[in-house]
């Protein structure tokens, strides 16, 4: 669906994203074969407040989590040029009773050739994991659909659904911001209270839905 950024803001947002990625401390950066992850996009500038306070995202959290919730993680993920598909996986298994709402903001258009995320609709109700049902969970699943869209769009998904990025067969990186909300009493992926900077706190305390 349409995300928190309006068309005019997209190029400034992408430039702020590239700057934040290149300025990140090496401890916050994980470089893998298919993708680069840069931790903590809560504290990298006011441009990145919009994604995690986006009204429709918080409304989805109310519907799915159904109790007080908090931000667990928010990071950059860049699917590198000429990268293979990621294995299908669920962030949380539904029978674990751990509702999670994930979100992905497209910094670039998500297309069929540059690593758009695939989802298997309905799989958040299934009791088994992709690895129980598929010999190789990096291959296509018959029920998968591609979440393609224009830069600035947001994907909001149940954390128990099977998903993963597809292969990027282009020579360009596929940039995104990704995060997750969880129950307020659950263990967060990042200790946001410990990391939050005073300038971030002063900004978000005045924001309203
Ligand atoms: O980048 C994507 O499209 C999905 C990434 C993902 O699901 C993950 O890293 O767990």
């Amino acid at each position: 669906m349409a995300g928190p950024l309006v068309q005019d803001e997209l190029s400034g947002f992408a430039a702020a994203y590239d700057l934040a990625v290149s300025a990140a401390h090496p401890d916050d950066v994980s470089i893998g074969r298919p993708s680069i992850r840069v931790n903590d996009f809560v504290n990298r500038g006011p441009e990145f407040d919009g994604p995690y306070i986006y009204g429709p995202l918080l409304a989805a959290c109310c519907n799915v989590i159904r109790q007080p919730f908090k931000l667990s993680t928010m990071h950059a993920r860049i699917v590198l040029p000429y990268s293979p598909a990621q294995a299908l996986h669920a962030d949380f298994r539904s029978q674990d009773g751990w509702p999670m709402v994930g979100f992905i903001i497209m910094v670039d258009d998500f297309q069929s050739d540059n690593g758009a995320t695939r989802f298997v609709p309905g799989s958040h109700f299934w009791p088994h994991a992709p690895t129980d049902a598929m010999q190789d969970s990096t291959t296509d699943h018959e029920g998968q659909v591609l979440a393609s869209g224009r830069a600035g769009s947001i994907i909001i998904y149940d954390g128990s659904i099977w998903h993963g990025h597809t292969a990027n067969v282009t020579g360009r990186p596929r940039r995104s911001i990704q995060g997750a909300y969880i129950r307020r009493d659950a263990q967060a992926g990042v200790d946001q209270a410990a990391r939050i900077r005073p300038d971030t706190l002063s900004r978000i305390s005045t924001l309203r839905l």
Side-chain angles (χ1 to χ4, degrees):
M1 59 187 285
L5 300 165
V6 296
Q7 200 61 33
D8 295 358
E9 294 170 335
L10 284 175
S11 60
F13 184 79
Y17 178 97
D18 288 342
L19 195 63
V21 166
S22 59
H25 191 277
D27 289 352
D28 282 332
V29 182
S30 328
I31 303 181
R33 158 81 178 87
S35 69
I36 296 177
R37 175 185 159 129
V38 181
N39 201 12
D40 188 14
F41 260 65
V42 172
N43 290 293
R44 299 196 186 277
E47 297 85 355
F48 308 110
D49 295 346
Y52 68 95
I53 55 144
Y54 189 45
L57 171 61
L58 301 179
C61 292
C62 293
N63 278 322
V64 172
I65 302 177
R66 295 183 168 273
Q67 56 184 291
F69 55 84
K70 65 183 176 187
L71 186 68
S72 173
T73 55
M74 190 169 86
H75 52 262
R77 183 172 300 281
I78 302 167
V79 179
L80 295 169
Y82 307 114
S83 290
Q86 183 183 35
L88 281 172
H89 61 281
D91 294 332
F92 291 106
R93 300 277 295 279
S94 46
Q95 69 269 37
D96 294 344
W98 237 75
M100 195 209 96
V101 173
F103 61 96
I104 300 178
I105 308 271
M106 303 177 191
V107 180
D108 295 300
D109 293 350
F110 274 29
Q111 300 166 341
S112 58
D113 60 354
N114 75 345
T117 318
R118 59 183 171 142
F119 291 86
V120 181
S123 57
H124 54 304
F125 295 119
W126 299 347
H128 51 286
T131 45
D132 300 331
M134 297 172 75
Q135 219 159 37
D136 176 1
S137 49
T138 64
T139 58
D140 284 350
H141 186 282
E142 59 187 7
Q144 76 183 36
V145 295
L146 207 57
S148 46
R150 301 305 305 267
S153 305
I154 186 170
I155 304 169
I156 301 174
Y157 63 95
D158 187 305
S160 300
I161 199 166
W162 298 7
H163 67 283
H165 67 72
T166 51
N168 182 357
V169 300
T170 74
R172 301 177 311 279
R174 190 228 67 186
R175 299 169 294 175
S176 65
I177 288 185
Q178 316 192 343
Y181 275 92
I182 54 171
R183 284 190 330 229
R184 195 175 290 168
D185 60 1
Q187 171 82 45
V190 169
D191 183 352
Q192 305 289 354
R195 274 200 77 122
I196 200 148
R197 291 167 38 148
D199 54 315
T200 309
L201 199 55
S202 67
R203 279 197 314 275
I204 62 172
S205 63
T206 60
L207 294 174
R208 299 281 180 272
L209 283 182

